[in-house]
Amino acid sequence: MALPVSSKVFISLFVGGAVFYLVSTSSGEGVLDYIFVDKVVDNPAMYSGRMIKVHGTVVPGTVRQKKGEAGDYTFDIERDGRRMPVHFTSMVPDTFAEGGEVILTGELQDGRFESEEMAAKCPSKYEERPSADPSKNGR
């Protein structure tokens, strides 16, 4: 049973109006910008005080944990030679490592990134391992 043309037009206008209303009244809350650390360092005023996700590599030798405090870390992250200090106030994931990539959620405050949410990738876990086949080892 097919719908009459007038019903199809009414349904189309109703759905279109509902979509337009939802898009025009959306506050954008819940959507976080995902930015590489070099972009944040290059333009801190643009990102200061906003909740964002920052992607960078943990600089070896910079990781410090506050004595007696579980989950209170400071370290630097970098990309393309630009560094940013981080204060992380939660427990680090098992894959967190110096030289590893991290994605932190938080705010830039006074030049330091304050975060309590992190996703980390261990670089050694994803490196290519030598093949047992000698023809694949570049010989």
Side-chain angles (χ1 to χ4, degrees):
M1 178 169 114
L3 290 173
V5 173
S6 61
S7 294
K8 290 179 183 177
V9 170
F10 175 75
I11 291 170
S12 298
L13 288 174
F14 179 78
V15 170
V19 169
F20 176 77
Y21 173 78
L22 290 173
V23 169
S24 64
T25 60
S26 172
S27 65
E29 301 263 340
V31 178
L32 296 178
D33 289 329
Y34 177 93
I35 306 126
F36 283 99
V37 67
D38 57 320
K39 303 297 182 201
V40 176
V41 171
D42 288 346
N43 194 358
M46 182 174 177
Y47 302 107
S48 188
R50 291 176 39 200
M51 283 294 280
I52 57 174
K53 287 185 178 270
V54 175
H55 184 165
T57 302
V58 178
V59 178
T62 64
V63 178
R64 305 278 183 265
Q65 184 178 13
K66 191 173 182 181
K67 290 194 186 263
E69 295 290 324
D72 194 345
Y73 294 85
T74 59
F75 53 91
D76 290 350
I77 58 174
E78 72 174 347
R79 182 170 187 250
D80 291 339
R82 295 201 252 344
R83 286 185 177 196
M84 180 172 62
V86 173
H87 179 225
F88 184 71
T89 59
S90 188
M91 296 302 294
V92 295
D94 291 341
T95 53
F96 176 78
E98 292 185 348
E101 290 181 56
V102 293
I103 300 169
L104 298 154
T105 303
E107 293 183 31
L108 183 64
Q109 297 176 357
D110 299 323
R112 181 168 78 172
F113 197 72
E114 296 287 337
S115 174
E116 55 184 50
E117 183 179 323
M118 175 194 309
K121 165 177 125 169
C122 179
S124 62
K125 185 176 181 179
Y126 301 99
E127 288 177 358
E128 185 175 339
R129 293 191 176 150
S131 173
D133 182 357
S135 66
K136 294 185 180 181
N137 288 333
R139 292 183 182 176

